[in-house]
Amino acid sequence: MKKLKSIKNNWQSLSLVAGTALLWQLISLAGLADPFILPPPSAVISAFCKDFQLIASHSLTTLVQAFIGLGISIILGYAAAIGMDRFSWLQKALYPLLVLSQTVPYIAIAPLLVLWLGFGMTPKIVLVCLICFFPIAVNVYDGIRGIRKEYIDEFNVLGGNWLESLIFVKLPLSLPGFFSAIKIAGAYSIVGAVISEWIGGTKGIGVYMTRVRKSYEFDKMFAVILLISLLSLGLLSIIKIIERRAIKYVEEK
């Protein structure tokens, strides 16, 4: 039943996307929009196919930076969440700073990172970490704190210590919050890598976008936007598959 509902929802989403693309194409054919400024979907797909090899090469660089940054942010975010759960003084000191960090525009930090760390992969990875760290740390911490106190007390009565309760109770039961964070951070990681590449770099989707924008090849710009959306959707789908299997494994245990 759930599978049928999922197929129905996906079909509705695909129908909306297809309808929007068709309307966009018809507007272009009717001459209601300048094809130079707003290329029709047919031109966007054509540009994507024409430059596919080059776009794929740039995409690989962006994905590597995004995945490394996401992986590091998962480790740091989990460590911060566990630390805040273990030490109340750390929670009082760190949690407000995490919230405050979201008021800083990351696009303003990117030039500074390039200035300090150069034009290589390092500033891109650091920016991705900064963007992804907050949702992971906060969601995992909230997931841990949201566990019913009775579960922890029952485990402690059976002789379990803090570390054992963390491994066998808190982390497994906080998985829904963790995967909610990963879904957000996964999309942020790709966007963050692209933004950092706008500021400076030699390869990546952001570098490619900067080059085609300067040459006024807007059909290729839209093609890259389409690619970023597809990559984000693909990553989200992978995360959902892992989430279902992980939660099923925990429930069986």
Side-chain angles (χ1 to χ4, degrees):
M1 193 69 182
K2 289 183 178 180
K3 189 174 183 180
L4 289 174
K5 187 176 180 181
S6 176
I7 293 172
K8 183 180 178 181
N9 291 337
N10 290 335
W11 175 252
Q12 291 174 342
S13 299
L14 290 173
S15 298
L16 179 60
V17 172
T20 303
L22 179 60
L23 179 61
W24 179 3
Q25 183 72 34
L26 292 175
I27 289 174
S28 298
L29 291 175
L32 299 177
D34 187 345
F36 177 74
I37 301 298
L38 186 64
S42 57
V44 173
I45 295 173
S46 176
F48 181 81
C49 295
K50 182 180 178 181
D51 256 20
F52 176 77
Q53 189 172 356
L54 181 59
I55 292 174
S57 176
H58 282 289
S59 300
L60 181 60
T61 300
T62 300
L63 287 175
V64 169
Q65 294 168 165
F67 288 157
I68 293 175
L70 179 60
I72 294 173
S73 64
I74 289 173
I75 295 172
L76 296 179
Y78 245 117
I82 293 171
M84 289 190 292
D85 174 65
R86 182 69 177 88
F87 305 105
S88 59
W89 62 265
L90 181 61
Q91 187 273 334
K92 293 176 182 177
L94 185 58
Y95 199 94
L97 294 178
L98 289 174
V99 176
L100 183 63
S101 70
Q102 297 309 289
T103 64
V104 180
Y106 291 110
I107 196 169
I109 298 177
L112 296 175
L113 293 176
V114 172
L115 179 65
W116 295 334
L117 303 174
F119 289 91
M121 293 180 64
T122 304
K124 284 80 169 176
I125 293 173
V126 171
L127 184 63
V128 172
C129 288
L130 291 174
I131 293 174
C132 297
F133 176 75
F134 172 81
I136 293 173
V138 170
N139 278 275
V140 172
Y141 173 73
D142 288 344
I144 292 175
R145 300 303 294 176
I147 297 171
R148 292 175 61 179
K149 191 173 182 297
E150 297 84 65
Y151 295 153
I152 308 297
D153 292 340
E154 183 179 348
F155 190 83
N156 291 336
V157 168
L158 294 174
N161 56 35
W162 176 84
L163 181 59
E164 290 172 335
S165 69
L166 175 69
I167 295 173
F168 297 109
V169 180
K170 294 182 179 180
L171 293 185
L173 293 181
S174 65
L175 279 179
F178 167 69
F179 281 107
S180 295
I182 294 299
K183 290 172 188 175
I184 298 171
Y188 282 180
S189 66
I190 296 176
V191 174
V194 172
I195 290 175
S196 65
E197 290 165 352
W198 286 349
I199 308 302
T202 57
K203 199 170 184 180
I205 296 177
V207 175
Y208 177 84
M209 290 181 74
T210 302
R211 290 173 182 172
V212 298
R213 177 179 58 81
K214 289 181 178 179
S215 59
Y216 300 101
E217 297 176 284
F218 296 119
D219 53 346
K220 295 181 180 179
M221 278 285 291
F222 278 95
V224 175
I225 293 172
L226 173 63
L227 175 64
I228 294 172
S229 299
L230 293 175
L231 290 175
S232 298
L233 287 173
L235 181 57
L236 181 60
S237 298
I238 293 172
I239 292 171
K240 285 183 176 180
I241 293 172
I242 297 173
E243 177 185 17
R244 285 196 297 269
R245 294 184 177 180
I247 291 179
K248 183 179 179 181
Y249 175 80
V250 169
E251 289 175 347
E252 289 175 350
K253 291 294 182 179

